[in-house]
Amino acid sequence: MSERIYSLLSRLNVWDRGFFGMRGLSNYNLSCCVNTLLQTFSATWEIGDLLDKWEAAGVRADTRNVPLQLKRVLTAMRSDSPQPAPHRDFLHSLDRNCVRLSTQHDADEVFLAILNLMQQQMDDKLLALQIQNLYKISVETHVQCLECSSVQTVTSYMLSLPLHIKEDHDSLEDCMTSFFRHQELRGINCCFCATCEKKTPSKQSVKLHSLPPILCVQLKRFRNCDGYTRKLDSRVTFPKTFDFSETLKEAFSSDFAQNDCKYTLHAVVVHSGSAMCGHYTAYVHHRMKQRWYYADDSHVAPVSWEDVQRTYGGHNPQHTC
């Protein structure tokens, strides 16, 4: 694939000025979180293309089937209509799978739930695996004992990259550098060493084994402090394009073999409000019209890259990516 995509999932507030070739989605029983995720799935079109190949012969009447209803709503979102796309059947299918209506949700948790439900409910397992591989980040975790120097290596995968942010100014590159930096584990964080046969201080590092076509990044703005959850509104900048081979080559594992490591931003999920209550919206880049749009449920409007940059945070505590 010549153009890779990264989608920023994080924590931000347009108005109906007519139809611009992109369909909105009505807010139905607090569905703003799911609405924004649907807009990102539509912007990163590969998942819709793969679902179009799915015959779904055995599940056509199953109202609980999430991938079937997702296929239908993504098809509707591509149609040329000024009306909001019909998506209540999709919302009800999620509700029947414990992603409840009339409930505030975390966007990253719902995103992962949708991907997992597609794995479980698609009868074409090869196609389901291809969908998961769109987002699959393969990593190696190395844990070195600081007493005997033995190293344990575990290969695993993630479907989004969880990045902690600082309390002051930060950047996407800085967040990623921190994620892949060596960490010492001591005290209650000590790991069991099979060679020493006890818990020992250790040094942990994470290396990239492979990168996906669509990279989802979650900026973790929520902190638990004395039993209360608070939202960090510090400024985090991010670029239109990001190239791992230029900025994070040291994060590659020894057998990392991909040549194309450059990503282009296609969607930003944003959250306005506090840690306990808020509203999700999205900025998405339309691949056919080659411009940015802002989607606030049923209201869609064209915007500029400068508007997207206002989600960095640091200026308005209620308006952060």
Side-chain angles (χ1 to χ4, degrees):
M1 182 179 297
S2 60
E3 182 183 52
R4 288 170 167 250
I5 298 164
Y6 82 86
S7 176
L8 203 62
L9 294 176
S10 53
R11 319 287 183 223
L12 160 147
N13 279 336
V14 213
W15 307 265
D16 193 0
R17 303 175 188 164
F19 180 58
F20 302 100
M22 180 177 146
R23 298 187 72 176
L25 297 157
S26 299
N27 191 317
Y28 177 66
N29 288 358
L30 302 181
S31 67
C32 63
C33 176
V34 176
N35 291 356
T36 58
L37 292 174
L38 286 171
Q39 294 290 3
T40 67
F41 286 141
S42 183
T44 51
W45 60 91
E46 289 89 344
I47 188 171
D49 289 348
L50 286 174
L51 285 172
D52 284 344
K53 298 177 182 178
W54 182 36
E55 295 299 331
V59 296
R60 290 193 182 279
D62 188 354
T63 58
R64 290 176 49 89
N65 191 278
V66 169
L68 175 64
Q69 302 303 331
L70 178 60
K71 174 181 179 177
R72 290 173 176 172
V73 70
L74 290 179
T75 299
M77 291 175 72
R78 291 197 296 263
S79 65
D80 189 17
S81 171
Q83 301 301 318
H87 70 317
R88 288 194 181 188
D89 288 345
F90 177 65
L91 296 174
H92 283 292
S93 71
L94 288 175
D95 184 68
R96 295 183 180 104
N97 285 278
C98 297
V99 182
R100 299 301 186 191
L101 289 165
S102 303
T103 303
Q104 297 258 349
H105 291 288
D106 177 83
D108 191 60
E109 291 178 0
V110 176
F111 166 73
L112 296 176
I114 291 172
L115 292 185
N116 288 332
L117 287 166
M118 284 196 282
Q119 288 294 299
Q120 297 166 18
Q121 296 179 352
M122 288 183 69
D123 51 8
D124 187 333
K125 296 304 179 184
L126 179 59
L127 203 57
L129 182 61
Q130 290 177 353
I131 290 174
Q132 186 181 73
N133 286 342
L134 288 175
Y135 305 94
K136 195 171 184 178
I137 309 162
S138 181
V139 297
E140 291 179 357
T141 302
H142 304 273
V143 179
Q144 182 179 24
C145 176
L146 295 179
E147 292 187 0
C148 71
S149 298
S150 63
V151 178
Q152 301 178 63
T153 301
V154 176
T155 301
S156 59
Y157 73 88
M158 301 177 288
L159 298 174
S160 65
L161 197 60
L163 302 180
H164 288 276
I165 66 173
K166 301 174 187 175
E167 303 238 0
D168 53 3
H169 179 270
D170 215 341
S171 69
L172 182 66
E173 180 180 339
D174 290 340
C175 292
M176 287 195 178
T177 300
S178 296
F179 182 85
F180 292 106
R181 185 179 293 136
H182 285 87
Q183 299 180 50
E184 285 199 5
L185 305 176
R186 297 181 179 274
I188 61 172
N189 295 317
C190 285
C191 295
F192 182 81
C193 173
T195 303
C196 297
E197 297 185 334
K198 63 178 183 178
K199 286 188 174 183
T200 62
S202 57
K203 183 170 65 174
Q204 177 181 280
S205 65
V206 178
K207 297 291 184 181
L208 282 167
H209 187 265
S210 65
L211 285 164
I214 302 173
L215 177 66
C216 286
V217 176
Q218 181 197 13
L219 300 184
K220 297 178 74 66
R221 288 190 175 272
F222 293 159
R223 293 284 191 278
N224 188 291
C225 183
D226 297 326
Y228 294 94
T229 302
R230 67 186 182 94
K231 177 179 169 183
L232 295 183
D233 300 307
S234 49
R235 180 177 172 85
V236 182
T237 59
F238 51 85
K240 283 184 179 180
T241 60
F242 188 89
D243 193 339
F244 276 87
S245 62
E246 291 182 357
T247 56
L248 281 171
K249 202 166 187 177
E250 68 279 0
F252 295 161
S253 66
S254 57
D255 55 352
F256 186 90
Q258 292 175 231
N259 294 319
D260 184 8
C261 303
K262 186 175 182 179
Y263 289 85
T264 300
L265 183 66
H266 272 243
V268 181
V269 172
V270 290
H271 178 272
S272 61
S274 66
M276 304 309 296
C277 181
H279 178 63
Y280 279 103
T281 55
Y283 287 91
V284 296
H285 191 262
H286 197 289
R287 64 163 172 160
M288 301 300 293
K289 297 185 179 297
Q290 288 298 299
R291 69 166 304 163
W292 285 94
Y293 289 86
Y294 184 82
D296 181 355
D297 292 327
S298 60
H299 308 302
V300 176
V303 293
S304 66
W305 169 243
E306 288 70 27
D307 292 317
V308 181
Q309 290 174 301
R310 293 192 180 97
T311 69
Y312 287 165
H315 304 298
N316 183 345
Q318 299 297 316
H319 198 77
T320 56
C321 78

PDB file of all heavy atoms in Angstrom, residues 21 35 67 124 195 235 306 308:
ATOM      1  N   GLY A  21     -21.133  16.099   0.695  1.00  0.00           N
ATOM      2  CA  GLY A  21     -20.629  14.828   0.186  1.00  0.00           C
ATOM      3  C   GLY A  21     -20.242  13.861   1.288  1.00  0.00           C
ATOM      4  O   GLY A  21     -19.700  12.807   1.022  1.00  0.00           O
ATOM      5  N   ASN A  35     -20.882   7.198  16.833  1.00  0.00           N
ATOM      6  CA  ASN A  35     -20.973   8.009  15.610  1.00  0.00           C
ATOM      7  C   ASN A  35     -19.593   8.423  15.115  1.00  0.00           C
ATOM      8  O   ASN A  35     -19.297   8.357  13.917  1.00  0.00           O
ATOM      9  CB  ASN A  35     -21.814   9.252  15.861  1.00  0.00           C
ATOM     10  CG  ASN A  35     -23.284   8.939  16.081  1.00  0.00           C
ATOM     11  OD1 ASN A  35     -23.709   7.790  15.975  1.00  0.00           O
ATOM     12  ND2 ASN A  35     -24.063   9.956  16.393  1.00  0.00           N
ATOM     13  N   PRO A  67     -20.840  -7.129  12.670  1.00  0.00           N
ATOM     14  CA  PRO A  67     -20.226  -6.871  11.355  1.00  0.00           C
ATOM     15  C   PRO A  67     -21.246  -6.728  10.227  1.00  0.00           C
ATOM     16  O   PRO A  67     -21.035  -5.941   9.296  1.00  0.00           O
ATOM     17  CB  PRO A  67     -19.303  -8.078  11.133  1.00  0.00           C
ATOM     18  CG  PRO A  67     -19.756  -9.107  12.097  1.00  0.00           C
ATOM     19  CD  PRO A  67     -20.307  -8.364  13.271  1.00  0.00           C
ATOM     20  N   ASP A 124     -16.839 -15.878   7.769  1.00  0.00           N
ATOM     21  CA  ASP A 124     -15.658 -15.956   6.909  1.00  0.00           C
ATOM     22  C   ASP A 124     -14.451 -15.547   7.747  1.00  0.00           C
ATOM     23  O   ASP A 124     -14.107 -14.375   7.863  1.00  0.00           O
ATOM     24  CB  ASP A 124     -15.814 -15.017   5.702  1.00  0.00           C
ATOM     25  CG  ASP A 124     -14.705 -15.181   4.681  1.00  0.00           C
ATOM     26  OD1 ASP A 124     -13.592 -15.584   5.077  1.00  0.00           O
ATOM     27  OD2 ASP A 124     -14.930 -14.876   3.498  1.00  0.00           O
ATOM     28  N   THR A 195      15.454 -17.681  35.809  1.00  0.00           N
ATOM     29  CA  THR A 195      16.818 -18.106  36.141  1.00  0.00           C
ATOM     30  C   THR A 195      17.086 -17.931  37.638  1.00  0.00           C
ATOM     31  O   THR A 195      17.621 -18.829  38.305  1.00  0.00           O
ATOM     32  CB  THR A 195      17.848 -17.298  35.332  1.00  0.00           C
ATOM     33  OG1 THR A 195      17.574 -17.462  33.937  1.00  0.00           O
ATOM     34  CG2 THR A 195      19.264 -17.763  35.627  1.00  0.00           C
ATOM     35  N   ARG A 235      -1.117  20.423  26.047  1.00  0.00           N
ATOM     36  CA  ARG A 235      -0.981  20.522  24.589  1.00  0.00           C
ATOM     37  C   ARG A 235      -0.175  19.349  24.035  1.00  0.00           C
ATOM     38  O   ARG A 235       0.926  19.059  24.514  1.00  0.00           O
ATOM     39  CB  ARG A 235      -0.303  21.851  24.234  1.00  0.00           C
ATOM     40  CG  ARG A 235      -0.099  22.100  22.752  1.00  0.00           C
ATOM     41  CD  ARG A 235       0.516  23.488  22.544  1.00  0.00           C
ATOM     42  NE  ARG A 235       0.907  23.743  21.182  1.00  0.00           N
ATOM     43  CZ  ARG A 235       0.086  24.194  20.235  1.00  0.00           C
ATOM     44  NH1 ARG A 235      -1.179  24.456  20.535  1.00  0.00           N
ATOM     45  NH2 ARG A 235       0.511  24.410  19.009  1.00  0.00           N
ATOM     46  N   GLU A 306      -5.924  24.050   9.904  1.00  0.00           N
ATOM     47  CA  GLU A 306      -5.762  24.895  11.092  1.00  0.00           C
ATOM     48  C   GLU A 306      -6.838  24.590  12.135  1.00  0.00           C
ATOM     49  O   GLU A 306      -6.580  24.626  13.340  1.00  0.00           O
ATOM     50  CB  GLU A 306      -5.790  26.372  10.708  1.00  0.00           C
ATOM     51  CG  GLU A 306      -4.550  26.870   9.959  1.00  0.00           C
ATOM     52  CD  GLU A 306      -4.450  26.323   8.541  1.00  0.00           C
ATOM     53  OE1 GLU A 306      -5.518  26.001   7.960  1.00  0.00           O
ATOM     54  OE2 GLU A 306      -3.319  26.191   8.037  1.00  0.00           O
ATOM     55  N   VAL A 308      -8.228  21.634  12.576  1.00  0.00           N
ATOM     56  CA  VAL A 308      -7.824  20.359  13.162  1.00  0.00           C
ATOM     57  C   VAL A 308      -6.757  20.598  14.233  1.00  0.00           C
ATOM     58  O   VAL A 308      -6.779  19.991  15.313  1.00  0.00           O
ATOM     59  CB  VAL A 308      -7.301  19.388  12.081  1.00  0.00           C
ATOM     60  CG1 VAL A 308      -6.901  18.049  12.713  1.00  0.00           C
ATOM     61  CG2 VAL A 308      -8.348  19.166  10.995  1.00  0.00           C
TER      62      VAL A 308
END
